[in-house]
Amino acid sequence: MTTRRKLIAGNWKMNGLKADGLALAKGVAEVLAAGPAPACDMLVCPPTTLVALVADAVAGSKLAVGGQDCHAKTSGAHTGDTSAAALADLGCGYAIVGHSERRTDHAETDAVVKAKATAAQAAGLVAIVCIGETLAQRDAGQTLEVNRRQLRGSLPDAATPENTVIAYEPVWAIGTGRVATPAQAQEVHAAIRAELAAILGAGPAARLRILYGGSMKPDNARELLALPDVDGGLIGGAALKVADFWAIAQSA
Ligand code: PGA
Protein backbone atom coordinates (compact mmCIF):
# COMPACT_ATOMS: atom_id res chain seq x y z
CA MET A 1 0.00 0.00 0.00
CA THR A 2 1.23 3.44 -0.89
CA THR A 3 1.60 5.91 1.91
CA ARG A 4 1.01 9.52 1.07
CA ARG A 5 2.09 12.05 3.67
CA LYS A 6 -0.83 14.33 4.32
CA LEU A 7 -0.64 18.06 3.61
CA ILE A 8 -2.57 20.54 5.71
CA ALA A 9 -2.60 23.82 3.83
CA GLY A 10 -4.03 27.13 4.98
CA ASN A 11 -5.38 29.50 2.34
CA TRP A 12 -5.63 32.85 4.04
CA LYS A 13 -7.24 34.46 0.98
CA MET A 14 -7.35 38.29 1.15
CA ASN A 15 -7.13 38.40 4.92
CA GLY A 16 -4.60 39.85 7.28
CA LEU A 17 -2.46 42.92 7.72
CA LYS A 18 1.15 42.78 8.83
CA ALA A 19 0.58 42.37 12.55
CA ASP A 20 -2.09 39.67 12.45
CA GLY A 21 -0.45 37.79 9.58
CA LEU A 22 2.81 37.70 11.45
CA ALA A 23 1.12 36.59 14.68
CA LEU A 24 -0.77 33.83 12.87
CA ALA A 25 2.29 32.49 11.06
CA LYS A 26 4.46 32.63 14.15
CA GLY A 27 1.71 31.00 16.19
CA VAL A 28 1.49 28.07 13.79
CA ALA A 29 5.28 27.70 13.57
CA GLU A 30 5.51 27.75 17.37
CA VAL A 31 2.93 25.03 18.00
CA LEU A 32 4.57 23.01 15.26
CA ALA A 33 7.97 23.37 16.93
CA ALA A 34 6.58 22.61 20.39
CA GLY A 35 5.28 19.23 19.20
CA PRO A 36 4.28 16.50 19.27
CA ALA A 37 4.91 16.74 15.53
CA PRO A 38 1.80 15.98 13.50
CA ALA A 39 2.10 13.24 10.90
CA CYS A 40 1.59 15.71 8.07
CA ASP A 41 3.24 18.56 6.18
CA MET A 42 1.96 22.03 7.03
CA LEU A 43 1.70 25.01 4.73
CA VAL A 44 0.35 28.54 4.94
CA CYS A 45 -0.53 30.63 1.89
CA PRO A 46 -0.78 34.29 2.95
CA PRO A 47 -1.86 37.09 0.64
CA THR A 48 0.99 38.20 -1.63
CA THR A 49 1.53 41.32 0.46
CA LEU A 50 2.50 39.18 3.45
CA VAL A 51 4.47 36.40 1.79
CA ALA A 52 7.90 37.96 2.38
CA LEU A 53 7.13 38.81 5.99
CA VAL A 54 5.72 35.36 6.76
CA ALA A 55 8.45 33.51 4.89
CA ASP A 56 11.13 35.37 6.85
CA ALA A 57 9.32 34.81 10.14
CA VAL A 58 9.00 31.05 9.71
CA ALA A 59 12.33 30.44 7.92
CA GLY A 60 14.04 27.43 9.47
CA SER A 61 10.78 26.05 10.88
CA LYS A 62 8.85 23.09 9.52
CA LEU A 63 6.07 25.37 8.27
CA ALA A 64 6.11 25.83 4.49
CA VAL A 65 4.89 29.00 2.76
CA GLY A 66 3.08 29.33 -0.55
CA GLY A 67 1.46 31.86 -2.83
CA GLN A 68 -2.25 31.91 -3.67
CA ASP A 69 -1.70 32.42 -7.41
CA CYS A 70 1.09 33.12 -9.87
CA HIS A 71 1.37 34.41 -13.40
CA ALA A 72 2.04 32.05 -16.30
CA LYS A 73 4.93 34.19 -17.53
CA THR A 74 8.28 34.55 -15.78
CA SER A 75 8.44 38.36 -16.09
CA GLY A 76 7.33 41.26 -18.23
CA ALA A 77 4.48 43.69 -18.78
CA HIS A 78 1.85 42.23 -16.41
CA THR A 79 0.87 45.01 -14.03
CA GLY A 80 -0.17 43.80 -10.62
CA ASP A 81 0.76 40.18 -11.19
CA THR A 82 3.31 38.02 -9.39
CA SER A 83 5.61 35.52 -11.04
CA ALA A 84 6.29 32.06 -9.67
CA ALA A 85 9.99 32.88 -9.62
CA ALA A 86 9.29 35.89 -7.38
CA LEU A 87 7.36 33.66 -4.97
CA ALA A 88 10.20 31.13 -4.95
CA ASP A 89 12.67 33.96 -4.36
CA LEU A 90 10.74 34.98 -1.24
CA GLY A 91 10.97 31.46 0.17
CA CYS A 92 7.77 29.86 -1.11
CA GLY A 93 7.66 26.16 -1.82
CA TYR A 94 4.12 26.05 -3.21
CA ALA A 95 1.62 28.03 -5.25
CA ILE A 96 -2.13 27.50 -5.30
CA VAL A 97 -3.46 27.83 -8.86
CA GLY A 98 -6.99 27.76 -10.22
CA HIS A 99 -8.85 28.38 -6.98
CA SER A 100 -12.54 28.70 -7.80
CA GLU A 101 -12.50 32.30 -6.56
CA ARG A 102 -9.85 33.10 -9.19
CA ARG A 103 -11.68 31.11 -11.83
CA THR A 104 -14.76 33.23 -11.06
CA ASP A 105 -13.29 36.64 -10.20
CA HIS A 106 -10.64 36.61 -12.94
CA ALA A 107 -12.27 34.35 -15.53
CA GLU A 108 -9.45 31.83 -15.33
CA THR A 109 -10.00 28.90 -17.67
CA ASP A 110 -8.49 25.43 -17.38
CA ALA A 111 -5.90 26.44 -19.99
CA VAL A 112 -4.88 29.48 -17.92
CA VAL A 113 -4.67 27.35 -14.79
CA LYS A 114 -2.54 24.79 -16.60
CA ALA A 115 -0.15 27.51 -17.79
CA LYS A 116 0.13 28.89 -14.26
CA ALA A 117 0.74 25.44 -12.80
CA THR A 118 3.40 24.81 -15.42
CA ALA A 119 5.07 28.12 -14.54
CA ALA A 120 4.95 27.27 -10.84
CA GLN A 121 6.66 23.95 -11.46
CA ALA A 122 9.27 25.55 -13.71
CA ALA A 123 10.14 27.88 -10.82
CA GLY A 124 10.59 24.90 -8.52
CA LEU A 125 7.28 25.29 -6.72
CA VAL A 126 4.74 22.58 -6.02
CA ALA A 127 1.54 23.55 -7.84
CA ILE A 128 -1.67 23.03 -5.88
CA VAL A 129 -4.18 22.75 -8.71
CA CYS A 130 -7.77 23.41 -7.59
CA ILE A 131 -10.83 21.89 -9.23
CA GLY A 132 -14.44 21.45 -8.15
CA GLU A 133 -18.03 21.55 -9.27
CA THR A 134 -20.68 24.17 -8.58
CA LEU A 135 -23.95 23.34 -6.86
CA ALA A 136 -25.81 23.58 -10.18
CA GLN A 137 -23.40 21.08 -11.73
CA ARG A 138 -23.79 18.71 -8.78
CA ASP A 139 -27.57 18.99 -8.91
CA ALA A 140 -27.43 18.23 -12.63
CA GLY A 141 -25.49 15.03 -11.95
CA GLN A 142 -22.33 16.36 -13.61
CA THR A 143 -19.97 16.24 -10.63
CA LEU A 144 -17.56 13.55 -11.80
CA GLU A 145 -17.59 14.70 -15.41
CA VAL A 146 -16.83 18.31 -14.42
CA ASN A 147 -13.99 17.31 -12.14
CA ARG A 148 -12.47 14.99 -14.72
CA ARG A 149 -12.67 17.71 -17.36
CA GLN A 150 -11.10 20.36 -15.10
CA LEU A 151 -8.38 17.93 -14.09
CA ARG A 152 -7.51 17.05 -17.69
CA GLY A 153 -7.54 20.71 -18.70
CA SER A 154 -5.61 22.10 -15.73
CA LEU A 155 -2.97 19.44 -15.07
CA PRO A 156 0.49 20.40 -16.37
CA ASP A 157 2.07 18.01 -18.86
CA ALA A 158 5.06 17.46 -16.58
CA ALA A 159 2.95 16.74 -13.47
CA THR A 160 4.50 14.34 -10.97
CA PRO A 161 3.62 13.42 -7.37
CA GLU A 162 6.54 15.64 -6.31
CA ASN A 163 5.57 18.83 -8.15
CA THR A 164 1.78 18.63 -8.12
CA VAL A 165 -1.01 18.44 -5.57
CA ILE A 166 -4.68 18.41 -6.56
CA ALA A 167 -7.23 20.18 -4.36
CA TYR A 168 -10.84 19.08 -4.78
CA GLU A 169 -12.96 21.98 -3.62
CA PRO A 170 -16.68 21.75 -4.31
CA VAL A 171 -17.62 25.38 -4.90
CA TRP A 172 -20.82 24.99 -2.86
CA ALA A 173 -18.77 24.01 0.21
CA ILE A 174 -16.31 26.92 0.14
CA GLY A 175 -16.94 29.39 2.93
CA THR A 176 -20.52 28.20 3.30
CA GLY A 177 -20.22 25.92 6.31
CA ARG A 178 -21.75 23.25 4.10
CA VAL A 179 -19.12 20.52 3.99
CA ALA A 180 -19.14 17.56 1.60
CA THR A 181 -20.22 14.36 3.30
CA PRO A 182 -17.47 11.74 3.61
CA ALA A 183 -19.21 9.68 0.91
CA GLN A 184 -19.38 12.66 -1.47
CA ALA A 185 -15.72 13.54 -0.87
CA GLN A 186 -14.46 9.98 -1.24
CA GLU A 187 -16.43 9.42 -4.43
CA VAL A 188 -14.88 12.43 -6.14
CA HIS A 189 -11.39 11.84 -4.76
CA ALA A 190 -11.45 8.24 -6.02
CA ALA A 191 -12.63 9.42 -9.43
CA ILE A 192 -9.84 12.01 -9.55
CA ARG A 193 -7.27 9.35 -8.65
CA ALA A 194 -8.63 7.03 -11.34
CA GLU A 195 -8.37 9.83 -13.87
CA LEU A 196 -4.82 10.59 -12.71
CA ALA A 197 -4.00 6.92 -13.22
CA ALA A 198 -5.31 7.13 -16.78
CA ILE A 199 -3.17 10.23 -17.44
CA LEU A 200 0.01 9.56 -15.45
CA GLY A 201 -0.08 5.83 -14.82
CA ALA A 202 -1.08 3.92 -11.73
CA GLY A 203 2.22 4.36 -9.88
CA PRO A 204 2.35 8.18 -9.92
CA ALA A 205 -1.42 8.43 -9.35
CA ALA A 206 -1.08 6.36 -6.19
CA ARG A 207 1.53 8.79 -4.84
CA LEU A 208 0.00 12.13 -5.86
CA ARG A 209 -1.76 13.95 -3.05
CA ILE A 210 -5.39 15.00 -3.39
CA LEU A 211 -6.61 17.53 -0.80
CA TYR A 212 -10.19 18.24 0.16
CA GLY A 213 -11.23 21.87 0.60
CA GLY A 214 -14.51 23.51 1.55
CA SER A 215 -15.57 24.24 5.12
CA MET A 216 -13.07 21.85 6.66
CA LYS A 217 -13.11 22.55 10.41
CA PRO A 218 -11.76 20.89 13.55
CA ASP A 219 -15.07 19.08 14.06
CA ASN A 220 -15.26 17.47 10.61
CA ALA A 221 -11.60 17.12 9.70
CA ARG A 222 -10.96 13.76 11.33
CA GLU A 223 -13.67 12.01 9.36
CA LEU A 224 -12.63 13.57 6.04
CA LEU A 225 -8.92 13.02 6.56
CA ALA A 226 -9.52 9.35 7.37
CA LEU A 227 -10.96 8.69 3.91
CA PRO A 228 -8.75 6.48 1.74
CA ASP A 229 -8.24 9.03 -1.05
CA VAL A 230 -8.18 12.25 0.99
CA ASP A 231 -4.56 13.26 1.52
CA GLY A 232 -5.00 16.50 3.38
CA GLY A 233 -6.96 19.71 3.38
CA LEU A 234 -6.97 23.14 1.80
CA ILE A 235 -8.44 25.22 4.58
CA GLY A 236 -9.76 28.76 4.37
CA GLY A 237 -11.67 30.15 7.34
CA ALA A 238 -10.34 27.67 9.90
CA ALA A 239 -6.75 28.45 8.88
CA LEU A 240 -7.09 31.96 10.28
CA LYS A 241 -7.04 30.73 13.88
CA VAL A 242 -3.93 28.96 15.18
CA ALA A 243 -5.97 26.65 17.42
CA ASP A 244 -8.35 25.53 14.67
CA PHE A 245 -5.63 25.05 12.08
CA TRP A 246 -3.55 23.11 14.56
CA ALA A 247 -6.51 20.96 15.62
CA ILE A 248 -7.08 20.01 11.96
CA ALA A 249 -3.39 19.14 11.55
CA GLN A 250 -3.57 16.92 14.59
CA SER A 251 -6.46 14.97 13.16
CA ALA A 252 -4.40 14.20 10.04
P1 PGA B 1 -13.13 27.46 3.49
O1 PGA B 1 -12.25 27.76 2.18
O2 PGA B 1 -12.34 26.46 4.32
O3 PGA B 1 -13.29 28.78 4.17
O4 PGA B 1 -14.41 26.87 3.02
C1 PGA B 1 -11.51 26.76 1.54
C2 PGA B 1 -10.84 27.30 0.31
O5 PGA B 1 -11.48 28.07 -0.42
O6 PGA B 1 -9.67 26.99 0.02
Side-chain angles (χ1 to χ4, degrees):
M1 148 146 194
T2 309
T3 50
R4 294 177 295 269
R5 188 171 166 83
K6 287 190 168 50
L7 172 63
I8 298 299
N11 173 13
W12 294 4
K13 309 194 178 184
M14 198 173 70
N15 293 299
L17 302 179
K18 283 192 288 185
D20 32 307
L22 199 56
L24 178 55
K26 279 187 177 166
V28 176
E30 273 161 22
V31 285
L32 191 52
C40 63
D41 294 332
M42 290 188 75
L43 164 69
V44 290
C45 299
T48 312
T49 47
L50 300 183
V51 166
L53 191 72
V54 166
D56 285 351
V58 306
S61 80
K62 288 197 180 126
L63 181 61
V65 180
Q68 298 176 9
D69 175 50
C70 67
H71 198 275
K73 296 271 165 54
T74 49
S75 62
H78 303 287
T79 303
D81 277 310
T82 306
S83 73
L87 292 174
D89 188 42
L90 294 178
C92 286
Y94 296 77
I96 299 170
V97 291
H99 190 281
S100 65
E101 286 151 16
R102 293 212 56 93
R103 289 178 186 261
T104 303
D105 294 354
H106 301 275
E108 292 188 5
T109 61
D110 288 336
V112 167
V113 175
K114 177 177 176 175
K116 290 183 170 199
T118 302
Q121 293 173 350
L125 303 178
V126 177
I128 302 179
V129 180
C130 302
I131 58 175
E133 82 286 357
T134 63
L135 188 56
Q137 289 166 330
R138 176 164 281 275
D139 287 345
Q142 298 165 346
T143 297
L144 299 185
E145 175 196 329
V146 166
N147 281 285
R148 286 192 194 108
R149 187 179 68 232
Q150 288 186 5
L151 179 67
R152 286 226 173 236
S154 309
L155 193 73
D157 295 332
T160 69
E162 288 72 38
N163 68 15
T164 308
V165 170
I166 303 298
Y168 166 56
E169 298 206 306
V171 177
W172 48 269
I174 295 176
T176 58
R178 193 180 153 189
V179 67
T181 65
Q184 286 172 328
Q186 174 55 28
E187 181 192 27
V188 181
H189 280 241
I192 292 169
R193 198 173 308 284
E195 196 68 9
L196 285 170
I199 302 167
L200 303 174
R207 290 191 292 120
L208 202 150
R209 295 186 283 191
I210 307 173
L211 313 184
Y212 169 82
S215 297
M216 187 181 271
K217 309 278 178 209
D219 64 357
N220 59 34
R222 189 172 296 277
E223 208 176 11
L224 289 162
L225 293 169
L227 296 167
D229 286 295
V230 174
D231 309 316
L234 183 54
I235 298 130
L240 297 174
K241 289 200 187 116
V242 176
D244 287 357
F245 192 51
W246 182 241
I248 293 173
Q250 288 195 308
S251 30

